[in-house]
Amino acid sequence: MDIPRYPRREFIKKSALGLAAAGLAPRAISSQPSPQAMKPMHQSLPKWKGFNFLDFFVPNPAEARIHTSEESFKWMRDWGFDFVRIPMAYPYFLDIDYSKDITPEEVYKFSEKKVAEVDAIIEKAHNYGLHVSLNLHRAPGYCINAGFHEPYNLWSDQDALDAFCHHWAMWSKRYSGLPKELISFDLLNEPSLREDMNDQHGKREAVPGATYHRVAKAAVESIRQHAPEHLIVADGNNGGHIAVPELADLDIAQSCRGYVPFNISHHKAPWVYKDPESLPPPKWPDGPEANRESLKKFYQPWFDLQDQGVGVHCGECGCYNKTPHEVFLAWFGDVLEVLAERNIGFGLWEMHGSFGILDSGRSDVDYEDWYGHKLDRKLLELLQRV
């Protein structure tokens, strides 16, 4: 079905009020903007800080988390955060039978009721002046995660690219009336090539630059037909880690990751390692190849992008709950400070859960009770400090 643009006028009014409350409206209405304000948003990204919310992260709604309450967004605002990234699996929003493999025709069968669930979480976030980044974590023909059959390959099949662009046309048309300071579009989570897209341990490698450019350009054009002034973001190549200068001519921002070295950020993660319990405990710093200077070297290509006028944000970062807490904090403090030196903000991979500040399930944290949740106060203070 054809999904109309966002119909809730009261929400759009409240979004404008939230914009003013967030201190952003003067820039939008100033009769004499500063030279900085006149730059395209992608060239002068705010240092947004916040969290990923996984309400629509899985393809099947029956397996999804309980939707985030408005309380979480209030706490975010009160703690000084301003950024919400929503990684979405496209099948979540379809009217399909999830017990069967999806067909190319079904990729277009949107459910208005399910799409409206995104309206609701955006409204909650905007009630507190928070910027929302919509991301296709699973797009037609590609996802970095296993667990759902794709009927085609985004990197090679025109039918998949057509569907990808159709989805972005729908989302951008729906939210084109919302202030550009409060919503943006993150094209595709962590592009890479996979030897077998349905194999959890399939080999990954970077997408050829020309291929990524072709796919991104088509999606950007679809979005700009409806939301020409809104920010568009492309994730780094090969799982989000590699800066992509090949996309610089598209006038979009790029999103890096805060997961290096992987043996710290994903220590004992069962979806990564076949025998997680056999791994040695990580250390930080750990020699000449794992310290603050090595982080600066790793992120230098991203800093080079900034020097070319490309805005950069770290859309995902954090650490699984099996890494010793003190090691995690020492390493993560260095990651965030290296990024902060270049005014690069971040989105922690989740607020609630094993990577989060609430209910992370770590065995070595002295949690603080927070309205019935377990708060990692040390991690919260680190995030607030950078």
Side-chain angles (χ1 to χ4, degrees), residues 19-247:
L19 181 62
L24 294 170
R27 175 183 167 192
I29 65 175
S30 172
S31 60
Q32 293 182 324
S34 67
Q36 181 73 8
M38 292 175 68
K39 291 182 180 180
M41 180 181 275
H42 77 271
Q43 292 186 5
S44 54
L45 289 187
K47 187 186 168 187
W48 283 313
K49 304 197 308 182
F51 305 90
N52 285 255
F53 287 86
L54 311 188
D55 299 50
F56 315 113
F57 177 66
V58 298
N60 187 344
E63 300 171 358
R65 296 184 177 191
I66 296 173
H67 286 342
T68 305
S69 70
E70 191 161 331
E71 274 185 324
S72 293
F73 300 112
K74 178 183 183 300
W75 296 337
M76 276 186 63
R77 190 273 315 273
D78 292 348
W79 283 331
F81 299 102
D82 56 7
F83 177 80
V84 171
R85 183 173 182 262
I86 304 176
M88 307 185 298
Y90 81 89
Y92 185 106
F93 307 106
L94 303 179
D95 184 12
I96 60 175
D97 181 351
Y98 294 96
S99 68
K100 300 178 181 178
D101 287 347
I102 192 170
T103 66
E105 294 74 24
E106 289 176 319
V107 170
Y108 292 87
K109 294 182 63 177
F110 292 108
S111 162
E112 173 65 31
K113 180 179 179 181
K114 294 175 184 175
V115 170
E117 294 177 26
V118 183
D119 300 349
I121 195 171
I122 293 174
E123 182 173 7
K124 292 174 188 177
H126 285 182
N127 284 341
Y128 298 95
L130 307 174
H131 180 90
V132 173
S133 171
L134 288 184
N135 163 253
L136 280 184
H137 186 275
R138 178 177 291 277
Y142 177 75
C143 184
I144 198 166
N145 290 357
F148 187 87
H149 172 77
E150 288 298 330
Y152 33 39
N153 187 323
L154 179 59
W155 308 119
S156 59
D157 299 334
Q158 185 62 42
D159 287 351
L161 181 56
D162 291 344
F164 182 54
C165 292
H166 184 84
H167 277 248
W168 272 123
M170 185 275 288
W171 291 116
S172 58
K173 182 179 181 180
R174 191 172 184 88
Y175 300 128
S176 61
L178 296 177
K180 61 186 176 65
E181 290 84 358
L182 284 181
I183 193 162
S184 59
F185 307 110
D186 181 347
L187 296 176
L188 179 67
N189 185 73
E190 300 178 358
S192 66
L193 295 181
R194 297 191 65 164
E195 194 173 82
D196 179 351
M197 291 173 58
N198 297 310
D199 176 4
Q200 182 67 43
H201 300 287
K203 180 181 178 182
R204 297 188 181 115
E205 58 185 66
V207 178
T211 301
Y212 193 2
H213 186 279
R214 174 178 58 83
V215 169
K217 183 175 185 288
V220 166
E221 290 174 350
S222 296
I223 292 170
R224 286 185 173 152
Q225 288 180 13
H226 306 290
E229 296 185 356
H230 284 67
L231 173 67
I232 300 172
V233 178
D235 282 11
N237 209 336
N238 202 19
H241 297 289
I242 300 176
V244 195
E246 295 93 338
L247 304 184

